[in-house]
Amino acid sequence: MILDLHDLAFAYDGRPILADVRLGVPAGEIVAVLGPNGVGKTTLLKCINAILRADKGVILVDAEDVRRMAPSQVAARIGYVAQRTETARTTVFDAILTGRLPHLRWRASRRDLDLVGTVIARLDLGALALRFIDELSGGELQKVAIARALVQEPRLLLLDEPTSSLDLRNQIEILRLLRAVVDERRVAAVMTMHDINTALRFADTLVFVKAGRVLAHVAVADVTAALVSDVYGVEVDLHRVGDLAFVVPMIEKES
Amino acid sequence: MSVAGEISSAYGAHVRRKLVVTVALLVATALALVAAVALGSADLPLSAVAKALIGLEVPRRVEMIVWSIRLPQALAAIVAGAGLAIAGAATQSILRNPLASPFTLGMSHAAAFGAALSVTLLGSGTMASSSVGAVMITSPHVTTATAFVFCVLAAMVVVAVSRLRSATPEVMVLTGVALSALFTAGTMFLQYFADDTQLAAMVFWTFGDTARASWRQVGIMAAATALTSFYFLACAWTYNAIDAGDETAKGLGVRVERVRTVGMLAASLVTATVIAFLGVIGFVGLVVPHLVRRLIGADHRYLMPATIVAGALLLLVADTAARLVFMPHVLPVSVLTAFVGAPVFLWLIVRSRR
C-alpha cells in the first residue's frame, strides 16, 4: 500500500467534518473521491498531506507516519495539485521548478533542471517553457500545476478537482496523462471529482463520501445505481457497455 | 539534442540574461556613485574626486566635501534605497499584493511616529533650530527600537487583515491609509505639545532626507539592510512557491503563516531603521520591484538581488537630482520620489482593476 488511512477524524470549530475515514491505496491505482458539495472531499485531501491537522487517526505513506513528519518531508512524498492555482510573472519553467523545493538546498542542480526539462517534454509544454504563466489558458495552467507536482517525485499524488475548470478535450488530456504517469512510475493518485462519469472512465476505484464518512470504496466494476442514488439522493440509472459504465440521472420531464 | 535538453539550455540562456541585467544595474550604480560625489553646489574636478575616493592626497577642502558631506549622503541613499526596495518586494510577495510596500501599508508612518515618540518622550534625540540636522539622534538604538516596535505593530495589523477572505489588494491599501492616518495623527499630537523650536525641528525631520545621515547611522542602516536582504534572499524559493497560492505552497512544504510573519518582521526592521534616521521616503519600495519585475520577471532568486541594486541606483539618482535641480537649494529626496512615485502608484491601481 502506498497510502494507508485509519480512523481519520477532523473537526472545524468543533463541527465534525470527517470521521472514521479508512482508505488503502496500492501502487498504480487512481482513486476518485466523490460525494455531494461540502461533504469534506477537499478536507480529506488536506488532512492526508497534513496541510490540515487531523484530530485523530493514522496516515501512512509507504508505511511512514505523515503526522510525525516535517512539512518538507511530507512534500517530498506527497504532491498536491490545489483546486486553484495563482499566477505570477514567472515562466512555465520556473513555476514547475518550484516543485523541486522539498528536495533543494539552495541551488538548483543539473538534475533538478533536467527533471523539469523532461517533465515539460513529457507533458508537451515545450513550446511554452519560457512563456509567462499569467498568459496561459486554464488547461495549460492546470498542466503546469500537475507538472509541478510531478517534479516533486512524489509517491502519492493528491489532486483537488483537476478537471473542474477544463473543457472536454483538456479533461481527457489531463486524465490520460495522469493515468500514464501513475502507470509508468508506479505511484498512486487520489483525486476529488464531481463528474461521476469521468471518474468511472479514468479511475480504478471510487470512494463515495457522505456526511464526512466513507460510505463505500469500490472498484469501477462494482459501482451500482443504488449506491450512487444513496450518495447523491438522486435516482439514477447505471448503464454498462463492455468495460464502460456510465450513470444517467432520471429526471422526469415537466409536462 | 533531446527535447528536454533543448528546453534546459534555452532556460540557461534565459537565466544568463537576468544576470546580465543585474550586473548592468550594478555598474550603473557604481557610475552614479561617482557622479553623486562629483556633482553639487561646490564645483569639484572629477580627477580630484577620484583621487579623494581612493585615498590619495587632495586639498583639505575637497577631502572634507567628499568624505564628510557627499559620500555619507550618497551611501545613505544607496543603503536606504536598497533596504526600502527589498522590503517592498518582500511585502508584495508574501501578501501576494502588487500594491503593497512599507509606505502604502502604513508601516512607514508607524515607524516615523515611533521615532518621534522616542525623541520627544524617551529623550533619544535633541532638537535645535539649526539648518542641518534639526533633530540630532543622540541614541540611535533607542530611536530605531521604538520605530521598529510601532512598525511591527502596523505590520501585524496588516497581516491580520490580510487573513480575511475579502482582503483584496485594495482593501489592504485602505488598511494602510487608516494606519497612516492614525500614526500621522499621533505624530501631530506630539508636535502640538512641542515648543516652537521642537516643532520646527520635528516638521523638518519628518521630511525624508538623506543629507542628515552620519557615518555611524549609515553603518547601522547598512547592517539592517544587509541582514534583511540576506534573509529575503534565503527565502527566494519559498516566495516563488507562495506565488502559486497558499495551498500550493503548503503542499510544497512551506510554512506559509510563519514565512509571512517573519517576512513582515524583517521588512519592519529595515523600514524602521531607515525611517528613524532619514524620515519617511515613500514609493521606492512600491515602484522599484515593479520596474525590476518588468525587466527580468518575478522569479525571486533573481528579482531580490536585482531589486536591491535597482533600489540603490534609483534612490541615489533621485537624491543627486534633488540636490542639483534647484541649486544652490537642496530638495529632500522624499519630495522627488513622491512626485515620480505617486503617478506610478495610480497607474498600478488602474491596471490592477482590469
Side-chain angles (χ1 to χ4, degrees):
Chain A
M1 285 289 163
I2 287 190
L3 174 67
D4 232 330
L5 287 185
H6 293 287
D7 202 19
L8 187 80
F10 178 81
Y12 184 77
D13 275 350
R15 195 165 54 92
I17 307 283
L18 295 172
D20 198 25
V21 175
R22 286 153 210 281
L23 187 63
V25 186
E29 183 167 312
I30 298 180
V31 180
V33 180
L34 295 135
N37 284 327
V39 80
K41 300 189 292 290
T42 300
T43 307
L44 175 61
L45 294 191
K46 288 188 189 170
C47 282
I48 293 174
N49 71 350
I51 288 184
L52 293 174
R53 279 244 162 266
D55 298 316
K56 63 172 202 165
V58 181
I59 307 161
L60 302 177
V61 171
D62 283 331
E64 288 184 280
D65 189 349
V66 168
R67 298 181 69 188
R68 288 172 191 275
M69 291 179 196
S72 62
Q73 290 176 304
V74 178
R77 292 164 176 80
I78 305 179
Y80 177 53
V81 179
Q83 204 175 115
R84 260 175 63 90
T85 170
E86 307 282 341
T87 62
R89 200 85 185 143
T90 42
T91 61
V92 166
F93 195 104
D94 286 320
I96 296 172
L97 187 59
T98 54
R100 295 301 296 162
L101 183 57
H103 305 280
L104 281 173
R105 284 200 158 274
W106 208 87
R107 226 184 117 73
S109 67
R110 189 73 249 166
R111 181 171 178 276
D112 294 318
L113 299 176
D114 286 345
L115 199 61
V116 173
T118 310
V119 170
I120 286 179
R122 176 73 185 77
L123 269 63
D124 225 2
L125 288 167
L128 303 176
L130 295 181
R131 282 265 298 279
F132 290 115
I133 59 166
D134 55 4
E135 296 167 353
L136 300 186
S137 71
E140 292 164 342
L141 202 57
Q142 187 66 316
K143 275 191 181 177
V144 170
I146 290 175
R148 179 167 42 220
L150 289 180
V151 299
Q152 261 174 279
E153 297 188 301
R155 292 286 291 152
L156 173 68
L157 276 164
L158 304 176
L159 305 102
D160 198 357
E161 296 191 17
T163 54
S164 63
S165 59
L166 303 181
D167 60 35
L168 192 60
R169 183 201 160 89
N170 274 305
Q171 286 183 22
I172 293 169
E173 201 178 330
I174 293 282
L175 290 171
R176 271 203 180 135
L177 184 80
L178 184 66
R179 177 84 262 171
V181 167
V182 167
D183 290 347
E184 280 164 23
R185 300 192 178 187
R186 299 301 292 165
V187 296
V190 177
M191 57 181 177
T192 65
M193 284 212 133
H194 274 304
D195 185 349
I196 186 165
N197 287 319
T198 312
L200 285 168
R201 178 75 182 77
F202 287 95
D204 300 299
T205 59
L206 270 51
V207 167
F208 290 98
V209 184
K210 190 182 178 187
R213 287 168 192 274
V214 173
L215 202 66
H217 180 194
V218 291
V220 167
D222 300 328
V223 175
T224 61
L227 179 60
V228 177
S229 298
D230 183 19
V231 171
Y232 290 99
V234 177
E235 286 302 307
V236 299
D237 260 349
L238 193 134
H239 300 276
R240 290 188 185 274
V241 180
D243 283 347
L244 296 177
F246 51 96
V247 167
V248 182
M250 301 208 294
I251 307 163
E252 285 158 35
K253 275 194 179 155
E254 289 176 32
S255 50
Chain B
M1 208 195 289
S2 68
V3 179
E6 275 173 39
I7 293 167
S8 330
S9 64
Y11 179 71
H14 169 76
V15 166
R16 277 191 293 281
R17 204 185 70 84
K18 296 182 186 193
L19 293 176
V20 168
V21 170
T22 310
V23 170
L25 286 169
L26 211 55
V27 171
T29 309
L31 294 176
L33 176 63
V34 175
V37 175
L39 299 172
S41 47
D43 243 341
L44 299 184
L46 199 59
S47 59
V49 170
K51 274 186 193 164
L53 279 177
I54 53 173
L56 295 179
E57 199 161 332
V58 284
R60 180 97 185 102
R61 176 177 153 275
V62 175
E63 195 188 308
M64 274 286 291
I65 292 175
V66 168
W67 282 93
S68 301
I69 300 172
R70 290 191 191 163
L71 196 57
Q73 178 167 1
L75 291 179
I78 285 179
V79 169
L84 293 172
I86 189 106
T91 51
Q92 285 167 15
S93 300
I94 56 187
L95 298 173
R96 290 196 38 76
N97 183 345
L99 302 177
S101 72
F103 182 72
T104 47
L105 296 174
M107 291 156 64
S108 297
H109 292 96
F113 169 72
L117 189 74
S118 164
V119 168
T120 50
L121 291 188
L122 303 178
S124 70
T126 56
M127 281 168 269
S129 56
S130 68
S131 59
V132 235
V135 173
M136 295 292 291
I137 305 283
T138 48
S139 174
H141 298 102
V142 175
T143 315
T144 37
T146 323
F148 177 63
V149 166
F150 283 92
C151 196
V152 166
L153 209 66
M156 292 305 116
V157 172
V158 165
V159 169
V161 173
S162 77
R163 288 193 179 171
L164 301 177
R165 200 171 278 273
S166 55
T168 61
E170 290 79 5
V171 167
M172 301 304 299
V173 171
L174 290 176
T175 308
V177 170
L179 287 170
S180 297
L182 179 69
F183 287 109
T184 307
T187 308
M188 283 163 70
F189 182 85
L190 293 175
Q191 288 172 350
Y192 188 79
F193 289 103
D195 64 38
D196 287 356
T197 317
Q198 287 179 325
L199 177 63
M202 281 173 72
V203 170
F204 183 77
W205 183 55
T206 47
F207 297 153
D209 191 2
T210 50
R212 63 176 83 119
S214 66
W215 275 105
R216 184 172 174 218
Q217 292 172 355
V218 170
I220 296 173
M221 285 192 292
T225 300
L227 197 70
T228 46
S229 297
F230 189 76
Y231 171 75
F232 287 137
L233 284 173
C235 286
W237 281 102
T238 41
Y239 291 173
N240 281 350
I242 289 175
D243 266 349
D246 284 11
E247 301 280 286
T248 304
K250 285 177 185 170
L252 290 169
V254 175
R255 299 175 203 258
V256 175
E257 277 82 18
R258 186 192 290 183
V259 166
R260 198 161 273 157
T261 309
V262 178
M264 291 303 277
L265 282 175
S268 299
L269 175 67
V270 71
T271 304
T273 311
V274 168
I275 283 170
F277 297 136
L278 305 183
V280 176
I281 301 174
F283 298 106
V284 176
L286 179 76
V287 173
V288 172
H290 282 284
L291 292 177
V292 177
R293 242 180 244 117
R294 297 215 131 214
L295 275 178
I296 64 167
D299 181 350
H300 292 85
R301 290 174 300 152
Y302 304 97
L303 174 70
M304 289 303 192
T307 298
I308 294 171
V309 182
L313 173 63
L314 204 83
L315 198 62
L316 179 60
V317 169
D319 191 55
T320 310
R323 285 193 296 120
L324 299 178
V325 175
F326 295 112
M327 228 161 43
H329 297 288
V330 178
L331 211 58
V333 68
S334 61
V335 177
L336 202 71
T337 60
F339 276 147
V340 179
V344 177
F345 184 42
L346 280 174
W347 175 73
L348 287 172
I349 290 174
V350 172
R351 203 184 57 158
S352 77
R353 280 278 75 180
R354 263 189 242 139

